[in-house]
Amino acid sequence: AWQPEAAVSELFRKWILERKLMQPAEELQPGEWFKEEWTKWQKTLQGWRKLQAEWKDPVKKKALIARKKAELAKKKEANSADGEKEKDSEAPEKDEEVKLMEVNAEDIDVSSVDDVTDLGNGEPLFAYFAYEDWTLLATRYELHLLLHAFKKDLNDPDRPSFAEGHVAFYYNKYFKKPFQLKSFSCGEFKDFMELMKDTMDCNEETKLLQAKLAEDTEAAHFVKLTEEDRRERQRRSDAGDETAALNFPRPAPGPRQPQSAPPPRGSAPQSGNRPVSGGQGYQPQKRPYSGTSSYPPPKQPRSYGSGSYYSRR
């Protein structure tokens, strides 16, 4: 028997939707919103990594603390001037040492941190991030950004997201770099999802990935997620869990820059450099003739009488 028209139309719609979800959107291009957010994120991430490097360097760390003290002293002086009319008697002396608050980063509740770049003593929240932590931080934000940008750029109500099988395709299209599970020491995608469980999940009904956080979530929030994850792994490791530690393979270093090669044969030597003898490019310089010699004149052959010995023969 023929089915009702409404039922046939619904079946046809589901068939079209399945076909759309099975094939990647080849025509999709990153939009302006993604480009702006991606540029801001790269700049922010670079600043954070630079700050961590400075905090680990004893000399630069000392300079950071000194700058922090100067800022606190200036702020204290400004507050004192605003609160008291007699500035000279109430304001702190210029030579007065400003002490930073003593902070144990491990005792601070991550969710209560206002500034991830300064816990109060100049120490950033990401001071103890290792390579794996920075990798997870970047990947968290990248996938968060990708899921929201995909929905904006495709603008298709039938396809608000994509399945795990298309992650590598869209990741490369947006970020211009490959996505590989082995970069996270994962054999299957479900293992990778376990690392990203605070950022995204998979819809059980549609099997599409979906972001857990709103699109306007601040970048600093992803630092807090990464720090909470790092602390949890550390607690598990301290308790004897050998599976808690992460060990991601690091990318191979780029090719070494070749050293400056010697000048080719036949080329003129650079000024100030002595040419190497034996090559075709080396031409000995003749001493200019001045007309007089610094050597004594040669001795004349001894003569006997009117002629020399040889002339008599």
Side-chain angles (χ1 to χ4, degrees):
W2 292 92
Q3 296 186 8
E5 181 180 356
V8 173
S9 299
E10 180 64 18
L11 289 174
F12 184 66
R13 189 190 69 83
K14 290 183 177 180
W15 180 82
I16 294 178
L17 178 59
E18 291 177 357
R19 297 291 296 177
K20 290 171 65 175
L21 296 178
M22 289 175 59
Q23 298 179 357
E26 299 282 353
E27 74 283 358
L28 181 64
Q29 294 297 329
E32 290 301 322
W33 179 83
F34 167 81
K35 294 178 181 178
E36 292 178 2
E37 297 299 318
W38 175 237
T39 301
K40 289 191 298 183
W41 165 252
Q42 288 178 300
K43 183 177 180 180
T44 300
L45 182 62
Q46 183 180 8
W48 287 343
R49 302 205 65 164
K50 179 182 178 182
L51 179 58
Q52 187 205 38
E54 292 177 349
W55 183 258
K56 288 184 175 182
D57 187 297
V59 177
K60 295 182 178 180
K61 178 180 180 179
K62 186 177 180 180
L64 286 174
I65 294 177
R67 187 160 60 246
K68 176 68 176 179
K69 289 182 177 181
E71 293 175 356
L72 291 178
K74 186 177 180 180
K75 183 177 180 181
K76 185 177 181 180
E77 184 177 355
N79 292 338
S80 179
D82 294 339
E84 300 292 340
K85 293 182 179 180
E86 298 179 359
K87 180 179 178 180
D88 295 338
S89 60
E90 297 295 336
E93 297 180 2
K94 293 183 178 180
D95 296 336
E96 180 181 355
E97 182 180 0
V98 178
K99 295 183 179 180
L100 300 179
M101 59 184 299
E102 296 183 2
V103 175
N104 185 352
E106 298 295 331
D107 296 336
I108 295 180
D109 182 10
V110 173
S111 61
S112 65
V113 175
D114 295 327
D115 185 1
V116 297
T117 64
D118 186 1
L119 299 178
N121 61 345
E123 178 180 345
L125 182 62
F126 43 81
Y128 296 98
F129 276 16
Y131 170 78
E132 288 75 11
D133 301 306
W134 287 113
T135 301
L136 290 175
L137 169 62
T139 307
R140 280 186 174 95
Y141 187 84
E142 288 170 354
L143 290 177
H144 163 82
L145 185 62
L146 174 60
L147 289 170
H148 286 290
F150 177 89
K151 186 176 182 179
K152 286 177 176 288
D153 298 335
L154 191 60
N155 194 24
D156 185 351
D158 292 335
R159 187 160 46 171
S161 185
F162 49 87
E164 64 178 67
H166 293 158
V167 172
F169 174 80
Y170 292 119
Y171 188 89
N172 183 67
K173 176 176 282 289
Y174 274 77
F175 301 110
K176 308 303 180 185
K177 55 183 178 179
F179 175 85
Q180 297 176 330
L181 291 177
K182 66 180 182 180
S183 300
F184 308 92
S185 299
C186 295
E188 299 181 10
F189 194 80
K190 63 179 182 179
D191 301 326
F192 174 76
M193 286 292 293
E194 183 65 22
L195 297 174
M196 299 286 111
K197 60 185 178 181
D198 50 18
T199 304
M200 68 178 188
D201 58 11
C202 183
N203 187 291
E204 296 182 358
E205 181 180 353
T206 63
K207 305 302 180 182
L208 300 180
L209 302 178
Q210 54 190 16
K212 282 189 171 183
L213 304 172
E215 67 177 56
D216 58 350
T217 302
E218 295 184 357
H221 183 72
F222 294 89
V223 175
K224 297 179 181 181
L225 293 177
T226 306
E227 174 62 10
E228 288 177 344
D229 185 44
R230 186 195 69 82
R231 293 184 181 187
E232 176 61 24
R233 295 198 316 271
Q234 187 63 50
R235 285 191 289 266
R236 289 168 51 197
S237 180
D238 294 342
D241 186 356
E242 297 180 354
T243 65
L246 296 177
N247 186 18
F248 295 166
R250 305 198 178 195
R256 297 179 59 184
Q257 294 294 333
Q259 298 181 355
S260 57
R265 292 185 175 184
S267 61
Q270 299 293 330
S271 58
N273 296 333
R274 186 174 181 178
V276 180
S277 61
Q280 295 180 0
Y282 173 68
Q283 298 294 335
Q285 300 294 324
K286 294 183 179 181
R287 185 188 298 273
Y289 179 69
S290 60
T292 59
S293 175
S294 58
Y295 294 97
K299 294 182 178 180
Q300 297 294 330
R302 181 176 299 177
S303 59
Y304 299 92
S306 60
S308 65
Y309 169 77
Y310 298 99
S311 62
R312 294 200 305 263
R313 293 184 59 181

